[in-house]
Amino acid sequence: MPVICVAKGCENKFVKGSKFQFYRFPLKKPELAEKWVNSLGIENFEPTAKTCLCSEHFGPDCFRESSFKQFLKVDAVPNIFNQGQDSSTIDLREGGVIPEETTVVNPQADTDLDIDEGDGLRKKFTPEEVLRILEHDPGRDIYPIDSSSDDEDLVHPEKTHDSSSESDYRLPSSDSDEDYEEPHASVPELSSAHRPTRPQSAPADPAASPPPVALHTESSPQSDSAAPPPTTRRKRGRPALRTSAPAPKRGKRMLASTEKEEDDDDDKWHDREDECIKPDHLRFMPARIPGPTCDTTRAWSPLGLFQLFFSTTVVQKIIDNTNANAAKRRKAGMKFSWDKLTMKDFYTFLAVILFTGFVTVHHRSDYWRKKWPYNFHFPGDHMTRDRFECILCSLHLSDPKEDEENEKRKNTAKYDHLFKIKPLYTEMADACKANFQPHQNLSIDERMVLSQASMRVKPARWDYKMFVLSDTSIGYTWNFLVHIGQSESPTGHSVSQSIVMNLLPFPLLGGGYLLYTDNFYSSPALFTDLFNKNIGCAGTIRKNRAGFPKTQINDLPKQAERGDMRWIRSGKLLFVKWMDTREVMMCSTVHQAYSGQTVRRKVKEAGVWQNKSIPAPDCIVDYNRSVGGVGLTEALIGFCSVQHKTMKWYTTFFYHFVDIAVVNSFLLHNELFKSRQDHTKTKPFTHKTFREQLAMEMLEFAQGSAAPSPPPHLRPRHLPARVFRQRGIAGQEVLQEVPGCWNAEGEDIHLLQEV
């Protein structure tokens, strides 16, 4: 329908590209609407939901400027009219602002409504017209339409058709503050005396602006009490009054009604000035005292902390598997010199890896060059380059024989994609959880592990993804999962929800934790499930998530000012929209909407950039403060990462697990220093100093684990080529002792020789 101005003598009509803007009457504010009507000077004039005034009738003081655009103020009143015109009536039908079947003056006086729906299109009516139609035809499906906010009173050029009134509607539940009974399956005829109304302040002149009528009706005493009440539902698009049970829900899964406490707040978005009740504080009940779980009275060295994650058991397993893999490679025809890998060699190998993290050269072979400027004493004085390269090429974390069995199961459900890193992967994950109890605030995020170590700024498609749960206060990596590319979850939940549940072992954590997530993981279903497990959540969310409010009533305008916000509460879930440089959407189960907090932002005013405090929701402030746990760990890892180019994916993860062990050891070192509270002690190590000390202690440990050389005068010049046995094993009586020999551990023993 065409849109024209209803003012006397004004012939402005909406045309695409026109300089005029059209504004609907603020029917939701009866007092302001009455001022608009009085300013027109038209007798017996009653505006409808589509009655409009053009921008020519508003003075300059009626507008506010934002982002180089003009917006009508919320309390603006039209004050520019042509008083010379002698017209007292307006043909609204010609203007296209009401249907031709509806009269202008006293629309409630009509009793004979003839609505043509032969074209299959559903017409939209005001709430008053809805109730009048239901009096004569209770079984008809009708759809009311009305402006719900001052921002919607502006007729946007691209939204002039009926299809623009997209909104969600849901009948209030029995928990609403409104005094009404649940509607039954049938809607009886209602007289004007039984029409329920919403409780609100009455306008000054009831004749000029009748009070709005509720969109629900009371059940009649004559109705069948055994008939079940209809199920309310959300419908995208026009809100509907249904007189019978609705059709089954379609589309995305919604939260069950038993998980929400529906009230009148679900019907629209609220402004910053509206009061929001703060939810009850979660009681923090961790399974253990937060902090390091190791002996806090012991003076832990950097190597001792590192061995909490790289235990002797897992190191010995890596050594055995590496030796087995080297034998397999030589059997396959590869020619290289190989000496059996020992504990001494492995810790020297680890020390070289740490050294390459804080001393960088162009090529790995440069570490062994003796000429300037590569005249390094280490690592050449402790391990040759060929020995290092042989260990690196043969390094294997799993048993090669079991690898072959796993490869036979490829493309089946029993195939384990992570089998080659499983021994170290499971050991590291268990050690991270066992040696530290996180504080209350946790965060989940993804971390990219670079493959082929080309030091790219942006991750590539062949990089590996990990999901990490960390303590936001210190950045400790508490749990992690390696992503294997599953598109479906075996639990029936979404993939993101299953990841969060797998990262949260509730018996080890306890209750009362606060989890911060980004929009990949956040969903109303996940937050509700975790709230039932006494875990609070907050995070950014995508508006297309199932359960996110679809209503557009009093929604945040597209050109909102920086700091504007809207919120809506649905049971335990709080949804917030906030305008920063762009619109930010949040969901939380532990915050109230706004308590007066602000954030600092740079704003350009009068051509000058300056810092300015703008209001911000509580969940935004806490999210920005707490979400950086994973980022802090990534910064520490990237500071002196031991990552090197490799074509083997499991070697890439070996490097990353070494980084996790070093960073977690450093964080435990700082926490242990705080817990001792001994001011006479020196300051804790910095991150760089901690890595240097750790590499030095690895070399000392490697030298101590090696077999010491016997004194020259005790060395046997010739060992007989016969079988030697330790005392008491053979039980032979004809044996002779040969002194001066040592075992692999460097202990002096007596060997027995057959005679």
Side-chain angles (χ1 to χ4, degrees):
M1 295 182 182
V3 177
I4 66 173
C5 182
V6 299
K8 295 179 181 179
C10 184
E11 298 181 354
N12 291 337
K13 184 182 300 184
F14 168 72
V15 179
K16 188 173 182 180
S18 173
K19 64 179 181 179
F20 303 112
Q21 288 186 329
F22 294 80
Y23 303 93
R24 298 188 182 97
F25 277 65
L27 300 181
K28 290 294 183 180
K29 298 181 179 180
E31 296 182 359
L32 183 61
E34 184 181 3
K35 294 180 181 179
W36 283 40
V37 172
N38 294 337
S39 65
L40 288 175
I42 304 176
E43 298 179 0
N44 300 326
F45 173 69
E46 294 184 6
T48 66
K50 295 185 178 181
T51 307
C52 302
L53 282 175
C54 68
S55 55
E56 276 199 338
H57 304 292
F58 295 88
D61 57 340
C62 296
F63 295 91
R64 60 179 176 87
E65 186 173 351
S66 176
S67 301
F68 306 101
K69 293 185 179 181
Q70 284 190 342
F71 296 90
L72 191 65
K73 294 182 179 179
V74 294
D75 57 349
V77 178
N79 52 12
I80 301 177
F81 295 98
N82 184 8
Q83 301 297 335
Q85 190 70 20
D86 194 20
S87 175
S88 60
T89 61
I90 297 180
D91 189 359
L92 295 180
R93 297 192 195 93
E94 183 179 354
V97 295
I98 61 172
E100 295 184 359
E101 294 80 9
T102 307
T103 58
V104 178
V105 181
N106 194 13
Q108 296 186 0
D110 292 341
T111 57
D112 186 13
L113 294 176
D114 183 14
I115 302 175
D116 183 11
E117 292 181 341
D119 54 358
L121 298 176
R122 292 170 173 160
K123 297 182 179 297
K124 299 176 289 186
F125 305 92
T126 62
E128 293 85 355
E129 294 168 343
V130 168
L131 291 179
R132 288 191 293 107
I133 296 173
L134 287 178
E135 288 183 1
H136 300 278
D137 189 0
R140 165 166 282 167
D141 291 343
I142 52 178
Y143 295 81
I145 183 63
D146 194 6
S147 174
S148 58
S149 67
D150 296 334
D151 297 312
E152 293 180 3
D153 292 335
L154 171 61
V155 181
H156 299 281
E158 65 274 12
K159 298 181 179 180
T160 56
H161 301 289
D162 294 346
S163 61
S164 64
S165 302
E166 295 284 332
S167 62
D168 286 346
Y169 177 72
R170 178 177 57 191
L171 291 176
S173 67
S174 57
D175 296 334
S176 174
D177 296 333
E178 297 178 350
D179 186 15
Y180 77 102
E181 298 178 5
E182 279 191 79
H184 288 274
S186 60
V187 179
E189 296 185 0
L190 300 177
S191 62
S192 59
H194 291 87
R195 294 176 184 170
T197 59
R198 291 186 182 271
Q200 64 179 22
S201 58
D205 187 2
S209 180
V213 182
L215 300 184
H216 56 268
T217 58
E218 299 182 53
S219 58
S220 174
Q222 290 80 11
S223 62
D224 186 7
S225 59
T231 304
T232 60
R233 68 166 184 168
R234 287 183 182 270
K235 176 181 176 63
R236 185 166 186 176
R238 305 182 181 93
L241 278 177
R242 298 230 173 233
T243 57
S244 58
K249 294 181 180 179
R250 293 188 236 175
K252 295 185 177 179
R253 175 171 54 88
M254 303 293 289
L255 288 177
S257 59
T258 57
E259 298 177 354
K260 300 194 298 180
E261 298 175 2
E262 298 177 350
D263 52 24
D264 193 44
D265 289 350
D266 294 339
D267 292 341
K268 68 173 184 177
W269 292 95
H270 295 267
D271 299 329
R272 184 171 60 242
E273 291 77 12
D274 296 337
E275 182 180 1
C276 177
I277 301 176
K278 186 176 183 179
D280 296 334
H281 184 70
L282 290 178
R283 184 181 177 186
F284 184 41
M285 298 179 295
R288 298 174 294 180
I289 298 176
T293 57
C294 55
D295 185 6
T296 57
T297 61
R298 173 182 168 184
W300 288 89
S301 64
L303 180 60
L305 294 173
F306 178 82
Q307 289 177 334
L308 292 176
F309 304 93
F310 268 72
S311 64
T312 305
T313 303
V314 71
V315 168
Q316 188 61 50
K317 187 179 296 185
I318 294 174
I319 292 174
D320 295 339
N321 293 334
T322 301
N323 285 323
N325 187 50
K328 177 183 175 182
R329 295 175 68 231
R330 295 188 66 181
K331 187 177 180 180
M334 298 184 182
K335 296 181 180 181
F336 59 94
S337 177
W338 179 257
D339 294 330
K340 186 176 180 180
L341 183 64
T342 62
M343 191 73 69
K344 169 184 178 297
D345 294 334
F346 185 77
Y347 270 94
T348 305
F349 173 76
L350 285 180
V352 174
I353 288 179
L354 286 182
F355 178 77
T356 61
F358 45 80
V359 177
T360 306
V361 294
H362 289 285
H363 300 284
R364 192 162 59 217
S365 61
D366 292 337
Y367 290 111
W368 283 268
R369 292 178 63 180
K370 296 300 182 180
K371 295 182 180 180
W372 186 89
Y374 305 103
N375 50 346
F376 299 116
H377 296 288
F378 181 81
D381 293 347
H382 293 78
M383 178 176 285
T384 64
R385 188 189 69 173
D386 291 342
R387 179 61 170 165
F388 179 85
E389 294 294 341
C390 287
I391 295 175
L392 186 60
C393 292
S394 300
L395 183 68
H396 214 71
L397 307 182
S398 59
D399 190 346
K401 294 182 179 179
E402 296 179 359
D403 276 346
E404 295 177 358
E405 296 296 327
N406 184 59
E407 289 297 325
K408 294 177 182 179
R409 297 189 291 267
K410 199 167 185 177
N411 299 325
T412 64
K414 295 183 179 180
Y415 178 72
D416 190 352
H417 295 78
L418 304 177
F419 185 81
K420 289 189 176 182
I421 63 171
K422 224 35 172 313
L424 185 56
Y425 175 28
T426 55
E427 177 79 12
M428 282 291 302
D430 293 341
C432 290
K433 295 192 286 279
N435 294 305
F436 185 80
Q437 182 68 20
H439 300 86
Q440 187 173 17
N441 291 344
L442 304 173
S443 65
I444 289 180
D445 203 353
E446 60 187 38
R447 179 188 300 169
M448 301 305 298
V449 181
L450 298 181
S451 64
Q452 301 179 0
S454 55
M455 296 304 173
R456 297 173 301 274
V457 177
K458 295 183 179 179
R461 59 175 181 164
W462 49 78
D463 290 340
Y464 307 109
K465 182 186 294 185
M466 291 176 58
F467 301 104
V468 182
L469 174 68
S470 63
D471 184 311
T472 63
S473 60
I474 64 173
Y476 181 90
T477 299
W478 194 76
N479 197 8
F480 55 88
L481 293 173
V482 178
H483 182 54
I484 58 177
Q486 288 182 341
S487 58
E488 295 182 0
S489 171
T491 60
H493 299 134
S494 63
V495 175
S496 59
Q497 183 171 350
S498 298
I499 290 171
V500 175
M501 290 301 184
N502 292 334
L503 284 172
L504 294 173
F506 300 103
L508 294 178
L509 279 174
Y513 279 91
L514 303 182
L515 178 66
Y516 293 88
T517 63
D518 63 13
N519 58 19
F520 174 76
Y521 312 94
S522 301
S523 68
L526 171 65
F527 283 17
T528 303
D529 193 6
L530 290 179
F531 186 85
N532 295 333
K533 299 180 185 298
N534 197 31
I535 302 291
C537 296
T540 57
I541 190 172
R542 303 171 184 174
K543 63 171 60 177
N544 59 354
R545 289 287 191 185
F548 189 86
K550 303 300 181 183
T551 179
Q552 297 180 1
I553 302 177
N554 196 32
D555 199 356
L556 189 68
K558 292 183 178 180
Q559 300 297 332
E561 293 183 350
R562 202 169 190 177
D564 286 352
M565 63 169 289
R566 298 290 187 273
W567 63 269
I568 188 170
R569 183 172 289 281
S570 178
K572 301 298 183 182
L573 298 172
L574 173 70
F575 299 94
V576 175
K577 291 184 177 181
W578 181 63
M579 180 59 71
D580 195 8
T581 53
R582 59 182 180 85
E583 186 179 78
V584 180
M585 288 163 290
M586 296 283 297
C587 182
S588 173
T589 58
V590 293
H591 293 93
Q592 68 180 115
Y594 181 68
S595 62
Q597 300 193 63
T598 59
V599 293
R600 301 288 292 179
R601 292 291 187 270
K602 283 190 175 182
V603 181
K604 191 174 185 179
E605 294 183 353
V608 179
W609 289 96
Q610 56 184 354
N611 289 325
K612 185 178 180 182
S613 296
I614 62 173
D618 292 6
C619 54
I620 294 283
V621 177
D622 290 347
Y623 178 83
N624 290 336
R625 184 187 302 118
S626 304
V627 79
V630 177
L632 176 59
T633 308
E634 290 181 346
L636 292 174
I637 290 176
F639 176 68
C640 293
S641 177
V642 301
Q643 189 82 9
H644 289 285
K645 176 179 281 189
T646 175
M647 300 302 294
K648 298 175 182 178
W649 68 272
Y650 53 87
T651 308
T652 300
F653 277 103
F654 172 78
Y655 286 137
H656 191 71
F657 291 153
V658 171
D659 279 330
I660 292 177
V662 173
V663 171
N664 278 359
S665 302
F666 168 69
L667 296 175
L668 285 181
H669 168 73
N670 288 336
E671 291 298 302
L672 289 170
F673 182 85
K674 295 176 184 176
S675 63
R676 283 194 292 267
Q677 296 180 354
D678 188 355
H679 299 289
T680 62
K681 299 289 184 181
T682 58
K683 294 182 179 180
F685 290 126
T686 63
H687 186 209
K688 178 176 177 292
T689 308
F690 181 87
R691 284 180 175 266
E692 295 170 354
Q693 182 69 19
L694 176 59
M696 185 178 66
E697 291 181 4
M698 283 182 175
L699 287 177
E700 295 175 354
F701 181 80
Q703 295 297 328
S705 62
S709 300
H713 64 279
L714 295 179
R715 292 180 184 174
R717 295 186 178 182
H718 175 71
L719 291 178
R722 295 179 181 271
V723 178
F724 289 87
R725 300 182 180 87
Q726 291 186 11
R727 186 192 302 273
I729 296 178
Q732 302 292 334
E733 296 181 356
V734 285
L735 298 175
Q736 180 180 353
E737 295 185 6
V738 180
C741 297
W742 287 262
N743 63 5
E745 285 74 19
E747 299 174 353
D748 188 6
I749 65 171
H750 295 285
L751 298 182
L752 303 178
Q753 177 185 11
E754 290 185 0
V755 294

